[in-house]
Amino acid sequence: LDRAFRKVTAPVVVSFPLRLSTPCQRVKQIIESGEVGTIEHVVAFNDATYGESFFASWFRNYEECGGLFLQKATHDLDYIHYLIGQKPRRLAAMKAQRVYGGNKPFTLKCKDCGEQKQCPESPFNLFYQRAQGDRVQQSDSRMCLFARGIRNEDIGNCIIEYENGAQASYTQNFFVRNAAGRRGARLYGYKGTIDFDWEQNQIKVFKHQMPTVETIQFGKILPHFGGDRELAFDFVMAMKEHRPSRSPLSAGILSALTCLWARQSAETGRFCDVTMPR
């Protein structure tokens, strides 16, 4: 893709709704206003309450998914790159499978398992213990989360150094549930700190040189927090007016490249430079 599109002028819209979501766009405006100073440090997180889907559905097929740095972190690392306004230079990462995976057959489906009452991930206990839905929902496609052969990690961490020396850390977790879910970041400048969370639909701006906190609370939660609407708008404008995309192909390639090097770092235990292989 990198080689093929170097001379292509047609606008390309990459499906990165987080960078175009209403909260992220507002954070970008705050940063660009100089209110908190240059962003020097980012701590980002994604505690995904829907993480079971990456172990009980087709996502568990590693050849299709490529692991959860590539599958999930690509969205988060993109918005971090976008907000910092810098390219990543090098990184170090770790990943592990601490909860899911196990010794059950890879082809075992939940509906065919004899441990419906004992297993906390069974359709029975999703309803009975976790109060999900109004009935037990047996699905022909739900696979056992505790099967051997599942390669996806359920925890992962990545530390990134950017070209200007700024640093970011990102962590993702796929076995949290209920109110433990969160997705967002803290961005630190010399003048202030921005804290935002898509799940709370809220931004807080902490001033460093005066004891004040500004809270921005958003109203209705839209699909992908408004990002889907903006992506659709960009796509229509790209076709209608040849307008440049706010989530261009270059951003997609850079994020995927960062994720692939994070996966490589986690598998080899070494720092990796974020460079395009030749």
mmCIF file of all heavy atoms in Angstrom, residues 8 15 21 36-37 47-48 67 82-83 117 127 129 157 163 179 230 241 248 254 269:
data_model
loop_
_atom_site.group_PDB
_atom_site.id
_atom_site.type_symbol
_atom_site.label_atom_id
_atom_site.label_comp_id
_atom_site.label_asym_id
_atom_site.label_seq_id
_atom_site.Cartn_x
_atom_site.Cartn_y
_atom_site.Cartn_z
ATOM 1 N N VAL A 8 -0.597 8.422 -5.940
ATOM 2 C CA VAL A 8 -2.049 8.511 -6.113
ATOM 3 C C VAL A 8 -2.567 9.785 -5.464
ATOM 4 O O VAL A 8 -2.252 10.076 -4.306
ATOM 5 C CB VAL A 8 -2.752 7.279 -5.500
ATOM 6 C CG1 VAL A 8 -4.269 7.440 -5.536
ATOM 7 C CG2 VAL A 8 -2.341 6.022 -6.251
ATOM 8 N N SER A 15 -11.094 4.119 7.888
ATOM 9 C CA SER A 15 -12.127 4.061 8.939
ATOM 10 C C SER A 15 -11.516 4.186 10.335
ATOM 11 O O SER A 15 -11.411 3.216 11.088
ATOM 12 C CB SER A 15 -12.913 2.756 8.826
ATOM 13 O OG SER A 15 -13.953 2.735 9.781
ATOM 14 N N SER A 21 -14.028 11.578 16.226
ATOM 15 C CA SER A 21 -15.113 11.672 17.202
ATOM 16 C C SER A 21 -15.159 13.071 17.811
ATOM 17 O O SER A 21 -14.156 13.798 17.832
ATOM 18 C CB SER A 21 -14.926 10.631 18.306
ATOM 19 O OG SER A 21 -13.785 10.945 19.088
ATOM 20 N N VAL A 36 -2.725 24.210 26.996
ATOM 21 C CA VAL A 36 -1.990 23.339 27.914
ATOM 22 C C VAL A 36 -0.518 23.217 27.528
ATOM 23 O O VAL A 36 0.240 22.495 28.173
ATOM 24 C CB VAL A 36 -2.632 21.931 27.986
ATOM 25 C CG1 VAL A 36 -4.057 22.024 28.514
ATOM 26 C CG2 VAL A 36 -2.579 21.234 26.638
ATOM 27 N N GLY A 37 -0.109 23.910 26.477
ATOM 28 C CA GLY A 37 1.264 23.805 25.999
ATOM 29 C C GLY A 37 1.453 22.606 25.088
ATOM 30 O O GLY A 37 0.513 21.861 24.793
ATOM 31 N N ASP A 47 -9.855 -0.293 28.072
ATOM 32 C CA ASP A 47 -10.354 -1.430 28.841
ATOM 33 C C ASP A 47 -11.677 -1.838 28.205
ATOM 34 O O ASP A 47 -12.718 -1.228 28.460
ATOM 35 C CB ASP A 47 -10.535 -1.053 30.309
ATOM 36 C CG ASP A 47 -9.209 -0.733 30.985
ATOM 37 O OD1 ASP A 47 -8.173 -1.218 30.506
ATOM 38 O OD2 ASP A 47 -9.209 -0.006 31.993
ATOM 39 N N ALA A 48 -11.628 -2.856 27.356
ATOM 40 C CA ALA A 48 -12.753 -3.207 26.490
ATOM 41 C C ALA A 48 -13.674 -4.224 27.149
ATOM 42 O O ALA A 48 -13.315 -5.399 27.292
ATOM 43 C CB ALA A 48 -12.233 -3.751 25.162
ATOM 44 N N GLY A 67 -3.730 -10.642 15.687
ATOM 45 C CA GLY A 67 -3.432 -10.229 17.057
ATOM 46 C C GLY A 67 -4.098 -8.908 17.391
ATOM 47 O O GLY A 67 -4.517 -8.152 16.514
ATOM 48 N N TYR A 82 -2.206 11.452 16.092
ATOM 49 C CA TYR A 82 -2.938 12.630 15.620
ATOM 50 C C TYR A 82 -2.893 13.760 16.634
ATOM 51 O O TYR A 82 -2.625 14.921 16.275
ATOM 52 C CB TYR A 82 -4.378 12.200 15.336
ATOM 53 C CG TYR A 82 -5.334 13.306 14.995
ATOM 54 C CD1 TYR A 82 -5.219 14.025 13.810
ATOM 55 C CD2 TYR A 82 -6.395 13.608 15.848
ATOM 56 C CE1 TYR A 82 -6.128 15.028 13.482
ATOM 57 C CE2 TYR A 82 -7.309 14.605 15.530
ATOM 58 C CZ TYR A 82 -7.171 15.310 14.351
ATOM 59 O OH TYR A 82 -8.070 16.297 14.045
ATOM 60 N N LEU A 83 -3.133 13.441 17.901
ATOM 61 C CA LEU A 83 -3.166 14.487 18.923
ATOM 62 C C LEU A 83 -1.775 15.033 19.225
ATOM 63 O O LEU A 83 -1.597 16.244 19.419
ATOM 64 C CB LEU A 83 -3.829 13.954 20.200
ATOM 65 C CG LEU A 83 -5.328 13.662 20.106
ATOM 66 C CD1 LEU A 83 -5.838 13.075 21.415
ATOM 67 C CD2 LEU A 83 -6.121 14.913 19.735
ATOM 68 N N LYS A 117 -23.401 -24.489 33.502
ATOM 69 C CA LYS A 117 -23.642 -23.942 34.841
ATOM 70 C C LYS A 117 -22.363 -23.429 35.490
ATOM 71 O O LYS A 117 -22.395 -22.482 36.272
ATOM 72 C CB LYS A 117 -24.272 -25.022 35.740
ATOM 73 C CG LYS A 117 -25.629 -25.522 35.254
ATOM 74 C CD LYS A 117 -26.695 -24.455 35.358
ATOM 75 C CE LYS A 117 -28.043 -24.976 34.861
ATOM 76 N NZ LYS A 117 -28.581 -26.061 35.698
ATOM 77 N N PHE A 127 -26.419 -14.487 31.144
ATOM 78 C CA PHE A 127 -27.758 -14.031 31.540
ATOM 79 C C PHE A 127 -27.960 -14.117 33.050
ATOM 80 O O PHE A 127 -28.356 -13.136 33.696
ATOM 81 C CB PHE A 127 -28.819 -14.869 30.827
ATOM 82 C CG PHE A 127 -30.192 -14.721 31.404
ATOM 83 C CD1 PHE A 127 -30.915 -13.537 31.229
ATOM 84 C CD2 PHE A 127 -30.766 -15.737 32.136
ATOM 85 C CE1 PHE A 127 -32.179 -13.387 31.767
ATOM 86 C CE2 PHE A 127 -32.032 -15.605 32.687
ATOM 87 C CZ PHE A 127 -32.746 -14.423 32.505
ATOM 88 N N GLN A 129 -25.819 -14.700 35.802
ATOM 89 C CA GLN A 129 -24.905 -14.003 36.704
ATOM 90 C C GLN A 129 -24.674 -12.552 36.316
ATOM 91 O O GLN A 129 -24.601 -11.670 37.167
ATOM 92 C CB GLN A 129 -23.560 -14.733 36.769
ATOM 93 C CG GLN A 129 -23.624 -16.110 37.409
ATOM 94 C CD GLN A 129 -22.252 -16.767 37.486
ATOM 95 O OE1 GLN A 129 -21.291 -16.358 36.824
ATOM 96 N NE2 GLN A 129 -22.153 -17.825 38.291
ATOM 97 N N ASN A 157 0.660 -3.930 26.380
ATOM 98 C CA ASN A 157 1.185 -2.616 26.737
ATOM 99 C C ASN A 157 2.227 -2.183 25.716
ATOM 100 O O ASN A 157 2.990 -3.009 25.201
ATOM 101 C CB ASN A 157 1.837 -2.642 28.126
ATOM 102 C CG ASN A 157 0.845 -2.911 29.228
ATOM 103 O OD1 ASN A 157 0.179 -2.008 29.709
ATOM 104 N ND2 ASN A 157 0.729 -4.174 29.637
ATOM 105 N N GLU A 163 9.274 11.498 17.426
ATOM 106 C CA GLU A 163 10.422 12.149 16.797
ATOM 107 C C GLU A 163 10.898 13.370 17.569
ATOM 108 O O GLU A 163 12.085 13.696 17.545
ATOM 109 C CB GLU A 163 10.083 12.526 15.352
ATOM 110 C CG GLU A 163 9.993 11.314 14.421
ATOM 111 C CD GLU A 163 9.688 11.690 12.995
ATOM 112 O OE1 GLU A 163 9.160 12.808 12.770
ATOM 113 O OE2 GLU A 163 9.971 10.880 12.082
ATOM 114 N N ALA A 179 -18.837 -1.701 34.605
ATOM 115 C CA ALA A 179 -18.418 -0.314 34.817
ATOM 116 C C ALA A 179 -16.906 -0.130 34.791
ATOM 117 O O ALA A 179 -16.425 1.005 34.838
ATOM 118 C CB ALA A 179 -18.985 0.215 36.132
ATOM 119 N N GLU A 230 -18.788 11.642 10.934
ATOM 120 C CA GLU A 230 -17.750 12.440 10.279
ATOM 121 C C GLU A 230 -17.053 11.657 9.169
ATOM 122 O O GLU A 230 -16.689 12.220 8.130
ATOM 123 C CB GLU A 230 -16.740 12.934 11.309
ATOM 124 C CG GLU A 230 -17.327 13.852 12.368
ATOM 125 C CD GLU A 230 -17.960 15.093 11.774
ATOM 126 O OE1 GLU A 230 -17.404 15.642 10.799
ATOM 127 O OE2 GLU A 230 -19.026 15.519 12.262
ATOM 128 N N GLU A 241 -16.594 16.330 -4.013
ATOM 129 C CA GLU A 241 -15.781 17.530 -4.213
ATOM 130 C C GLU A 241 -14.283 17.248 -4.251
ATOM 131 O O GLU A 241 -13.487 18.183 -4.284
ATOM 132 C CB GLU A 241 -16.090 18.541 -3.103
ATOM 133 C CG GLU A 241 -17.542 18.988 -3.057
ATOM 134 C CD GLU A 241 -17.805 19.992 -1.943
ATOM 135 O OE1 GLU A 241 -16.836 20.345 -1.221
ATOM 136 O OE2 GLU A 241 -18.964 20.424 -1.789
ATOM 137 N N PRO A 248 -6.527 10.142 6.365
ATOM 138 C CA PRO A 248 -5.959 9.721 5.079
ATOM 139 C C PRO A 248 -5.284 8.358 5.148
ATOM 140 O O PRO A 248 -5.035 7.814 6.236
ATOM 141 C CB PRO A 248 -4.934 10.819 4.787
ATOM 142 C CG PRO A 248 -4.512 11.294 6.142
ATOM 143 C CD PRO A 248 -5.754 11.225 6.988
ATOM 144 N N LEU A 254 0.624 4.371 8.771
ATOM 145 C CA LEU A 254 1.504 4.636 9.912
ATOM 146 C C LEU A 254 1.022 3.918 11.164
ATOM 147 O O LEU A 254 1.815 3.340 11.908
ATOM 148 C CB LEU A 254 1.594 6.141 10.175
ATOM 149 C CG LEU A 254 2.490 6.548 11.346
ATOM 150 C CD1 LEU A 254 3.930 6.118 11.103
ATOM 151 C CD2 LEU A 254 2.415 8.058 11.583
ATOM 152 N N GLY A 269 10.936 -9.218 22.555
ATOM 153 C CA GLY A 269 11.460 -8.625 23.782
ATOM 154 C C GLY A 269 12.508 -7.561 23.558
ATOM 155 O O GLY A 269 13.422 -7.392 24.360
#
